Amino acid sequence: MLEQKDPGHKQQSTAAQAGTRGRSPDTMGGAMGPLLHWLQDVAAVTLLKARRTLFQAAILFCTLILLLWVSIFLYGSFYYSYMPSVSFSTPVHFYYTSDCDAADSIVCSFPTANISFMKNERDQVMANGQPYRVSLELEMPESPVNEQLGMFMVKMSCYTRGGRIVSTVGRSAMLHYRSNLLQTLSTLFFSPLLLTGMAEQKQLIEVELFSDYKTNAYQPTVGAVIEIHSKRVQIYSSQLRIHAYFSGIRYLLYNFPLTSAVIGVATNFSFLSVMALFGYLQLVWGGLWPPDQVRVKVMMGDDTRIQKRREEARKRMERESSQKDLSAPTLLGPVNGTYDFQGNGMTVNPSSDVPSEIPDASESGIEAPDSKEEESHESEDPEEINSTDVSDGHPHPQETALRQRPGHWTSL
């Protein structure tokens, strides 16, 4: 008996396992379906957020780059317009006359040169109110003529556009003294260089003409005339140099250019960033303090006021309807008449046989409405009443009942 039951039991277990194996893929597929949909939704939302974040980061990066370039441009414009020329150098070409008959003189007039202080014939070299140092460099040979010349005068006269002289100065100059022994030793020592042309026996004489020269804004200096008061002077070449002495902000900009540039660009960038932020808040939110809260409060107040007016109008209409009901006329006899449902009153055709009597409201003991209350009702704005009571285009139900309500005489 046990041996016969064992094969059946094995067959049932095998069938059960086969059924379980057959149903397991469907069950797993049904369980994995919602999970896959959820993962797909999460991936789509994450991708959308990533794209939005990347787009916002790109816009922010481009905005910052634009603000940085604008800051650099503003600082460069300020530096170019505020800082004058630090130094100005121009060659000085002297002219003189030599058609005289004097045998003991080399030239017949003093060497003279006319210098212009205008760049491109439009811009001034020297800024108004800025102190400058003006000096003349003379390259003179160590010739016997210059050694015997001794001291000589250098004169400079500054003039305006109209040719008016605004400043004049004169300074003395001469070659540096060198003894014959020093000259001999120097010649022997530098003879290779002198023979090859790499060195020359000359001296560079610097004559300071102005140590603190300032041009006037009302009479700006546009040029100068330089004269050397000597007819025997020998000059290789000469240069006029103008150097500015800065103070205050110009001193910081000139002596600390990198630090000043960093501070200036950072200041401009911060200012432009704040302006851009305010513009963004004004565009998106309507400002730092959006007026939506105040608007909500005002609208709430308006709704409360309108509701209160509606309640007052409703109470007034109920009171008027009750007063009309009390003051309605009564007929003592048969009356032949017609009721006009289109109007608020009725048309009565009294009979000649049956007299009718209409009691007065004062005789029936019904008091008339107070005059003050009527004045207060009349003082109300009709537009407000119409807007509150008949706002939806349908008449008030109490008003309809008042118009269609028949009087007591209709029951007779």
Side-chain angles (χ1 to χ4, degrees), residues 95 145 232 352:
Y95 62 91
V145 176
R232 299 175 60 85
S352 59

Side-chain angles (χ1 to χ4, degrees), residues 97 184 195 246:
T97 59
T184 303
L195 292 174
F246 296 128

Side-chain angles (χ1 to χ4, degrees), residues 137-244:
E137 292 181 357
L138 299 174
E139 188 178 3
M140 302 176 62
E142 294 179 344
S143 61
V145 176
N146 288 336
E147 290 178 357
Q148 296 175 5
L149 182 63
M151 296 181 64
F152 58 92
M153 288 290 296
V154 179
K155 182 181 178 181
M156 181 177 179
S157 301
C158 302
Y159 60 89
T160 60
R161 292 184 180 273
R164 179 182 177 184
I165 303 298
V166 293
S167 180
T168 302
V169 66
R171 295 288 187 268
S172 61
M174 66 174 296
L175 288 177
H176 296 284
Y177 174 74
R178 298 178 67 182
S179 63
N180 295 329
L181 178 60
L182 182 59
Q183 291 181 1
T184 303
L185 293 175
S186 176
T187 302
L188 293 175
F189 184 79
F190 291 103
S191 58
L193 299 177
L194 294 173
L195 292 174
T196 57
M198 298 179 65
E200 296 180 2
Q201 292 180 338
K202 63 181 180 181
Q203 292 185 15
L204 185 64
I205 306 300
E206 184 178 2
V207 182
E208 185 180 2
L209 300 175
F210 292 97
S211 60
D212 189 8
Y213 183 78
K214 296 180 180 179
T215 180
N216 190 0
Y218 298 99
Q219 296 178 352
T221 302
V222 297
V225 176
I226 300 175
E227 296 179 356
I228 298 179
H229 291 186
S230 177
K231 297 180 180 181
R232 299 175 60 85
V233 65
Q234 296 177 351
I235 301 173
Y236 282 153
S237 63
S238 62
Q239 291 279 337
L240 180 67
R241 300 186 182 277
I242 300 175
H243 186 77

